[in-house]
Amino acid sequence: MINVKRLDTKSLEEHAKVIRRSIIRALTKAGSGHPGSSLSAVDLLVALYYNRLRHNPQQPAWPDRDRFILSKGHACPALYAILAEMGYFSTDKLDTLRQFGSILQGHPCMKTTPGIEISGGSLGQGLSVGLGIALAAKLDKKNYRTYVMLGDGEIEEGQVWEAAMAANHYKADNLCAILDQNGLQIDGFIHEIMSSHPIPDKWRGFGWHVIEIDGHNYASILAAYDEAEKTKGRPTVIVAKTVKGKGVSFMENQVDWHGKAPSKEESERALAELT
Amino acid sequence: MAEMVATRQAYGDALLELGEKNKDVVVLDADLSKSTTTAKFGKKYPDRFFNMGVAEANMMNTAAGLATCGKIPFVSSFSIFATGRAWEQIRNTICYSGLNVKIVATHSGVSVGPDGASHQCIEDLSLMRTIPTMTVIEPCDAVETRKAILAAVDYKGPLYIRLGRAPVPVITKKEDPYTMGKATILRTGNDVAIIACGALVVNSLAAADMLSKEGIEASVVNMHTVKPIDQETLVKVAKQTKAVVTTEQHVLDGGLGSAVASILARIFPVPVEMIGIDNRFGQSGEPDILFREYHLLPEDIILAAKRAVGRKK
Ligand SMILES: Cc1ncc(C[n+]2csc(CCOP(=O)(O)OP(=O)(O)O)c2C)c(N)n1
Ligand SMILES: [Mg+2]
């Protein structure tokens, strides 16, 4: 069974609002976690999960499913909220985020959470795993695609570039990297801490097909996923310019909102903006 | 109630002192400088601070290069990324070359809390201890951390210091003597010896107090230098008590317990019971709940002490 609804932009935006609200609520309840990192990824993830990914929440292990790996694993509240909305588990579980005994661990854990393809939290490792899955698809003559979301701080890890080299070498055109380029890492702006610029040229140099988009514009995001799927002979990276903390004005582009939970009062202000 | 301070906070302050005293001290971090607290040094001495981005392997060997030119690099990240991602760089470039690099890693143990297993490093004592020539230290509180950091500069060679995220009670005093490689005996009793490091020292003292009420007198040894281990003190207390318990916030394999058992088995065999994490990963949760789940509390130490005493010939 495949589950690709094709929603229009307006309904995708409505879903995104619901997801952003869930993220704020879950993080407030948890008392820790990464709001900025989760919010910047929401639109890219909503477009992927609601409109492109062939998957089945009732059968998470369906062998022909498209795979998604959140390599910037600290943004998992965004993924958890989407998985819950789609029915992988009950939305009540979001209230247990990061608590003892929860199926929703602080960083992705494939053993406890339905819909999580690989355990993570340590940056730089996901693209290599995605490559392995893409190579398995080719071996098994399967059509499923593999998507991996990376952070722009995360691509400072050397392993990302080892994976980039290998994916091109093996012509993994069924592999698509999604770069959430929000311009921030933990200690500050990317260009001040460890500049990885020029990012698109680096991927081109590694032989990848590069698509540059606004990561909050649904038409561009969906067109990019389509272009990636049509691109043959080499892997594609979607370099998506995003705003860290997108949707909550006082969190947007603020380094301090990388990894702290909103207070009750901040949470209410955030939720008010997301109605 | 003792004051609660995270050992990582004392690290940042000690670095400031060092930066003033010794111009060869340089600091490297991998995009975690606020959490490791090296950002304080970075602010005061920007020229001698290198934020290497999310790239631990490169950071480790950049520190190696700096060390070959007479600099004294302090390299920091979370313990899982410092010792895990860059283990082979530490082994083959830093230790094999005998370089004067100080690796000071924070966020060790399950006391990391809600971030979960991926961020709770419970293998670093073992990972570092098994590398030939490496020195391994886990201070028990903030006051001792300052002493360990200052002593690290006077020692020439590779060294690993294990620190924590969560605040822990301050149980040592500024004026208490501290010598790297020399264990401190915090309490003397003849029935059982509890050998502890890091965050488990305070729980071991609490266990000893409760044991005393039941008529069992325990010695408590703060084995802050896990390697090279203070064999003399260890054998002395083993001879005195003839029963030993080890306590650490670490897997049972390869950490303090393994080190103690290995010495005692060879030199003065006595019953040894071990408190530590038994072949499991950590998980999300508050540190106090996780300490209960992984059996790291005073009540667990008491049971282990009674088992050790019961096994005496
Ligand atoms: C190997 C590794 N080193 C360090 C960290 C700690 N860490 C978590 S998030 C982060 C910054 C990531 O920045 P980026 O990839 O840009 O993500 P985003 O801005 O979306 O939060 C760091 C250094 C980690 N999780 N893994
Ligand atoms: Mg970023």
Side-chain angles (χ1 to χ4, degrees), chain A residues 98 106 122-123 156-157 187, chain B residues 31 51 54 56 85 115 284:
Chain A
R98 292 179 149 253
S122 176
L123 295 170
E156 292 160 1
E157 285 287 354
D187 280 343
Chain B
D31 196 27
N51 197 325
V54 198
E56 296 80 8
R85 182 67 58 98
D115 269 349
S284 289

Side-chain angles (χ1 to χ4, degrees), chain B residues 9 43 81 86 106 127 139 142 171 174 188 201 256 262 270 284 304 310-311:
Chain B
Q9 296 298 345
K43 211 166 166 206
F81 308 129
T106 65
L127 284 171
I171 53 173
K174 237 181 149 166
T188 308
V201 171
L256 175 68
S262 155
V270 295
S284 289
R311 285 171 56 200

Side-chain angles (χ1 to χ4, degrees), chain A residues 20 24 39 245-252 269-270 273-274:
Chain A
R20 285 193 163 91
I24 295 295
L39 292 169
K246 174 77 179 177
V248 177
S249 61
F250 60 90
M251 291 184 180
E252 285 188 0
R269 268 199 290 149
E273 287 189 23
L274 292 167

